[in-house]
Amino acid sequence: MKSNATAQAVAELAKVSQSAVSRSFTPGASVSEDTRARVLSAAKALGYRPNALARSLITRRSHIIALVMGYLENQFYPLVIQELSQKLQRQGYHVLMFITEAGEPTDGVLAEILQYQVDAVVMASAMLSPGLARQCADTGVPVVMFNRVPQMSSFAGSSTSSVTSDNRRGGRMVAELLLARGYRRIAFLGGLENSSTHRERERGFNEALAEAGTAAVGRALGHYDFERAREATRELFSGADKPDALFVANDHMAIAAMDVLRQELQLRVPQDVGVVGFDDVPQAAWGAYQLTTVVQSVEQMVDATVDVLHEQMRDGSQPRNVVIPCRIVERATVRSA
Amino acid sequence: MKSNATAQAVAELAKVSQSAVSRSFTPGASVSEDTRARVLSAAKALGYRPNALARSLITRRSHIIALVMGYLENQFYPLVIQELSQKLQRQGYHVLMFITEAGEPTDGVLAEILQYQVDAVVMASAMLSPGLARQCADTGVPVVMFNRVPQMSSFAGSSTSSVTSDNRRGGRMVAELLLARGYRRIAFLGGLENSSTHRERERGFNEALAEAGTAAVGRALGHYDFERAREATRELFSGADKPDALFVANDHMAIAAMDVLRQELQLRVPQDVGVVGFDDVPQAAWGAYQLTTVVQSVEQMVDATVDVLHEQMRDGSQPRNVVIPCRIVERATVRSA
DNA sequence: CTGAAAGCGCTTACAG
DNA sequence: CTGAAAGCGCTTACAG
């Protein structure tokens, strides 16, 4: 049944050595046109394809990249899977998916990742503890954080790179836009306290507010979860001095917030309250939401990630932290000038 | 740098043979408690983990499952990735992602899949041509189609299983619901002509309509694409005799249709036109859409897939075609009784 | 350009 | 229970 032809079988049929078969499938190896042709035709006859596992054992490169993710509800991440796998595939690499259960990979999944001899790991929508990062570094497998940044101090000496957009700048831009459009009681609906995107976005936002001589009138956490973002919105609007605008740390939660605003609180967007998100997922453009948001280009971020990956895999050079510029796309959730 | 300890190194440290090391990491192998303990502690000291690639070479089981997908825009598929990887991980298997560029895997990607010696392949949101299916069968790797069914005739003799919901029954239920609620000019907004979900859903829908002595008043194709679904909606409403209800082949397109209905055509849902989708993706429940739809349980489908996978990997038994029941969840896009 | 040989890191009969 | 040995399917010096 399993008709897995081996290089040996091909060699016999083609009447050459097994080494010749191997060379015929190795780009740049020295084989004459003639033998390569004979080998290739024998291989085709037998349905032979080199065993990638055996090859990896020798070459010490599996051409497998581990992609670790915590949750895919936020459409941003599926897009990352798609872009990253496609780009990597075109270059002969493949993605081994790891979905963490609790948001943070355990020693267990890390061990498995390492057992599969992956050439590198990219962490997206999941955090790597300093201990695990160290373990990767010790094994020599480069890790790049996608859309998050390691806690600096504890990662000294590890080979953890990162690719993020300019979250701080994005946060600033949101505050400036909202202020310019006359909103005065602006609240922040964040994600998770220990998330670097959350922190940087809030920081830039608060800085710009402070420079304008004001401050946020409210703050609540949605934990990057749809339902909890709804609750956070109710919380923000439960007091006496209600916000007239919301900066939400990502689109996924911004949409949840809009649902509550319009349907439970009977508030009009953008007249009664302005809303700005972050990411620009496809849903942000849907007719019923038309969310004004900060654009993070998945494509640019993935391109940068792949560059860093190659660089790190090639020469294990110093870790890099790439920051991609972002911009606001105005749709219909902030009133016009 | 790469401190990849080998079994040999552990053996030396623990003063046992390399076989003993191997046995200590093989569940059920015969090793005394004493040597196993010595091995484990030596392994820990060296940071040793068995090389999964080398193991696979011998055991002929990689514990890798290939997951082939065409596009992830429709949120249904990310959920499948998540459920499937998690479930498989818990059982010691891992998912190697393959994203096809054109919707159909080429010989190229199939060859790569096979080179990695995957234990099985699941095809979701991508079709396998009969030729490729045959190739998998020849190699003895089981394939299961997820949410789609192979074209019967040409797959005779191949080991292609499938897991789908009862799409035909789902289509019937939609027609019956719409009719019961007084809609009389019902149109169908389909996906792709050669997609089995599209065909079965339309078939059940048409059958129920026919039994009620009526027929669809319109039909257009959205190609499972958001923008093209918008166009299809415009097309459906461009004639004189406009539909008063739409059965859309999936939620992703149903949402696109609702945007056009409400914002371009100024039609009210469900008063002027009823809308029913299929899948019950999370977005269907969003406040702005509240789509009445047919529920496909990702969890049940994934459970069934994993069962079939194990069955096929174990004894290469006859291919199976599992059909999961579905049901309608009523929200706000069909008027009430 | 070519083949024989060593070896990648393991598992698994085979004897003891 | 244990070790020596063969072997999984390849790549890659090494000679020729």
Side-chain angles (χ1 to χ4, degrees):
Chain A
M1 172 167 299
K2 284 226 183 193
S3 80
N4 268 325
T6 71
Q8 188 53 52
V10 175
E12 280 159 23
L13 182 59
K15 299 197 189 312
V16 295
S17 71
Q18 186 261 313
S19 333
V21 175
S22 176
R23 291 195 185 97
S24 300
F25 283 92
T26 307
S30 78
V31 231
S32 69
E33 258 324 303
D34 181 55
T35 54
R36 146 168 276 134
R38 291 233 307 285
V39 167
L40 259 28
S41 98
K44 171 166 274 180
L46 298 178
Y48 170 77
R49 290 267 105 200
N51 181 323
L53 268 26
R55 166 182 292 166
S56 299
L57 199 54
I58 290 273
T59 60
R60 308 180 152 290
R61 319 194 102 262
S62 63
H63 283 220
I64 296 177
I65 310 279
L67 177 55
V68 186
M69 290 200 166
Y71 67 118
L72 304 180
E73 285 79 23
N74 176 353
Q75 184 68 15
F76 184 72
Y77 291 108
L79 295 178
V80 172
I81 297 181
Q82 180 163 341
E83 284 290 325
L84 192 63
S85 323
Q86 284 190 339
K87 184 135 203 225
L88 253 17
Q89 265 170 242
R90 283 185 218 113
Q91 307 172 172
Y93 284 85
H94 296 287
V95 167
L96 198 60
M97 282 291 319
F98 289 84
I99 308 279
T100 64
E101 311 256 347
E104 225 179 70
T106 57
D107 286 303
V109 345
L110 186 77
E112 289 176 57
I113 293 174
L114 263 18
Q115 281 189 56
Y116 274 96
Q117 315 298 116
V118 301
D119 289 344
V121 3
V122 1
M123 309 277 313
S125 83
M127 286 303 296
L128 199 58
S129 72
L132 294 185
R134 174 75 28 96
Q135 250 184 81
C136 287
D138 287 351
T139 326
V141 351
V143 358
V144 6
M145 307 284 251
F146 187 95
N147 199 32
R148 61 236 324 107
V149 110
Q151 293 97 306
M152 279 321 181
S153 55
S154 37
F155 278 78
S158 87
S159 52
T160 304
S161 297
S162 69
V163 174
T164 58
S165 37
D166 195 344
N167 290 305
R168 187 168 164 197
R169 179 99 194 72
R172 297 189 72 93
M173 286 168 13
V174 172
E176 285 160 8
L177 173 70
L178 256 11
L179 256 12
R181 297 304 163 76
Y183 295 101
R184 287 296 172 263
R185 301 188 310 284
I186 315 178
F188 177 66
L189 200 169
L192 239 29
E193 211 68 86
N194 71 351
S195 127
S196 63
T197 46
H198 162 105
R199 282 198 312 268
E200 289 300 292
R201 288 166 194 180
E202 182 174 29
R203 179 148 79 116
F205 172 71
N206 283 339
E207 283 170 357
L209 251 27
E211 283 166 22
T214 176
V217 301
R219 179 178 195 276
L221 259 31
H223 297 80
Y224 295 129
D225 176 78
F226 203 79
E227 199 44 54
R228 297 187 73 166
R230 291 174 59 101
E231 286 163 22
T233 309
R234 292 182 196 112
E235 184 186 328
L236 250 15
F237 283 81
S238 62
D241 189 33
K242 306 200 188 308
D244 67 357
L246 237 43
F247 170 34
V248 190
N250 74 14
D251 290 352
H252 186 65
M253 297 192 294
I255 285 169
M258 284 181 69
D259 280 352
V260 170
L261 256 22
R262 300 200 287 206
Q263 305 196 320
E264 292 183 20
L265 274 21
Q266 324 290 0
L267 261 16
R268 293 165 307 162
V269 176
Q271 300 89 328
D272 301 327
V273 19
V275 178
V276 184
F278 213 113
D279 284 349
D280 195 30
V281 297
Q283 288 83 349
W286 285 2
Y289 296 102
Q290 310 242 54
L291 184 65
T292 292
T293 190
V294 182
V295 183
Q296 292 204 102
S297 161
V298 170
E299 205 189 321
Q300 277 183 53
M301 291 176 73
V302 165
D303 285 354
T305 301
V306 172
D307 286 348
V308 173
L309 241 24
H310 284 307
E311 197 181 292
Q312 300 286 317
M313 292 191 298
R314 194 182 324 115
D315 47 33
S317 54
Q318 282 301 91
R320 275 176 55 194
N321 299 287
V322 181
V323 177
I324 312 268
C326 49
R327 64 189 171 78
I328 286 191
V329 53
E330 281 211 56
R331 285 196 270 253
T333 56
V334 168
R335 59 181 168 238
S336 40
Chain B
M1 170 166 300
K2 284 227 186 199
S3 79
N4 269 325
T6 71
Q8 188 53 52
V10 175
E12 281 160 23
L13 182 58
K15 300 198 188 312
V16 295
S17 71
Q18 186 259 314
S19 330
V21 175
S22 175
R23 291 197 185 96
S24 300
F25 283 93
T26 307
S30 79
V31 231
S32 69
E33 259 321 305
D34 180 56
T35 53
R36 148 169 275 136
R38 292 232 308 284
V39 167
L40 258 28
S41 98
K44 172 166 273 182
L46 298 178
Y48 170 77
R49 289 267 107 199
N51 181 323
L53 268 26
R55 165 180 293 167
S56 300
L57 200 53
I58 289 273
T59 61
R60 307 179 154 292
R61 319 193 101 262
S62 62
H63 283 219
I64 297 176
I65 310 279
L67 176 56
V68 187
M69 290 200 166
Y71 67 118
L72 305 180
E73 284 79 23
N74 176 354
Q75 184 69 14
F76 183 73
Y77 291 109
L79 295 178
V80 172
I81 299 181
Q82 180 162 341
E83 286 290 325
L84 192 63
S85 325
Q86 284 191 340
K87 183 133 204 228
L88 253 18
Q89 265 170 242
R90 284 185 217 113
Q91 308 173 172
Y93 284 84
H94 296 287
V95 167
L96 198 60
M97 282 290 322
F98 289 84
I99 307 281
T100 64
E101 311 256 347
E104 226 180 70
T106 57
D107 286 303
V109 347
L110 185 77
E112 289 176 57
I113 292 174
L114 264 17
Q115 281 188 58
Y116 274 95
Q117 316 296 118
V118 300
D119 289 344
V121 4
V122 1
M123 310 276 314
S125 84
M127 285 305 294
L128 199 57
S129 72
L132 294 185
R134 173 77 26 100
Q135 250 184 84
C136 286
D138 287 350
T139 326
V141 352
V143 358
V144 7
M145 309 283 251
F146 186 96
N147 200 30
R148 59 234 327 104
V149 110
Q151 293 97 306
M152 280 320 181
S153 56
S154 36
F155 277 77
S158 86
S159 53
T160 304
S161 297
S162 68
V163 174
T164 58
S165 35
D166 194 344
N167 290 305
R168 187 167 162 198
R169 179 97 195 74
R172 296 190 72 92
M173 285 166 15
V174 172
E176 286 159 9
L177 174 71
L178 256 10
L179 254 13
R181 299 304 164 78
Y183 294 101
R184 288 296 172 263
R185 302 188 309 283
I186 315 179
F188 178 66
L189 201 168
L192 240 28
E193 211 66 87
N194 70 352
S195 127
S196 63
T197 46
H198 162 104
R199 281 198 314 267
E200 289 299 293
R201 289 165 193 182
E202 182 174 29
R203 178 148 79 118
F205 172 72
N206 283 339
E207 282 170 358
L209 250 26
E211 283 166 22
T214 176
V217 300
R219 179 179 194 275
L221 260 32
H223 297 79
Y224 295 128
D225 176 77
F226 202 80
E227 198 45 56
R228 296 187 73 167
R230 292 174 59 101
E231 285 163 24
T233 309
R234 293 183 196 110
E235 183 187 328
L236 249 16
F237 283 80
S238 61
D241 190 34
K242 305 198 190 308
D244 67 358
L246 237 44
F247 171 34
V248 191
N250 74 14
D251 291 352
H252 187 65
M253 296 192 294
I255 285 170
M258 284 181 69
D259 279 353
V260 170
L261 255 24
R262 300 200 287 204
Q263 306 196 321
E264 291 182 21
L265 273 22
Q266 325 291 0
L267 260 15
R268 292 165 308 162
V269 177
Q271 300 90 329
D272 300 328
V273 19
V275 178
V276 182
F278 212 113
D279 284 350
D280 195 28
V281 297
Q283 288 83 352
W286 285 1
Y289 295 102
Q290 310 242 57
L291 184 65
T292 291
T293 189
V294 182
V295 183
Q296 294 204 101
S297 161
V298 171
E299 206 189 321
Q300 279 182 53
M301 291 175 72
V302 165
D303 286 354
T305 302
V306 171
D307 286 349
V308 173
L309 240 24
H310 284 307
E311 195 181 292
Q312 300 286 317
M313 293 191 297
R314 194 182 325 116
D315 47 32
S317 54
Q318 282 300 89
R320 274 177 55 196
N321 298 287
V322 181
V323 176
I324 312 268
C326 49
R327 63 187 172 80
I328 286 192
V329 54
E330 280 210 56
R331 283 194 272 254
T333 55
V334 169
R335 60 181 168 238
S336 39

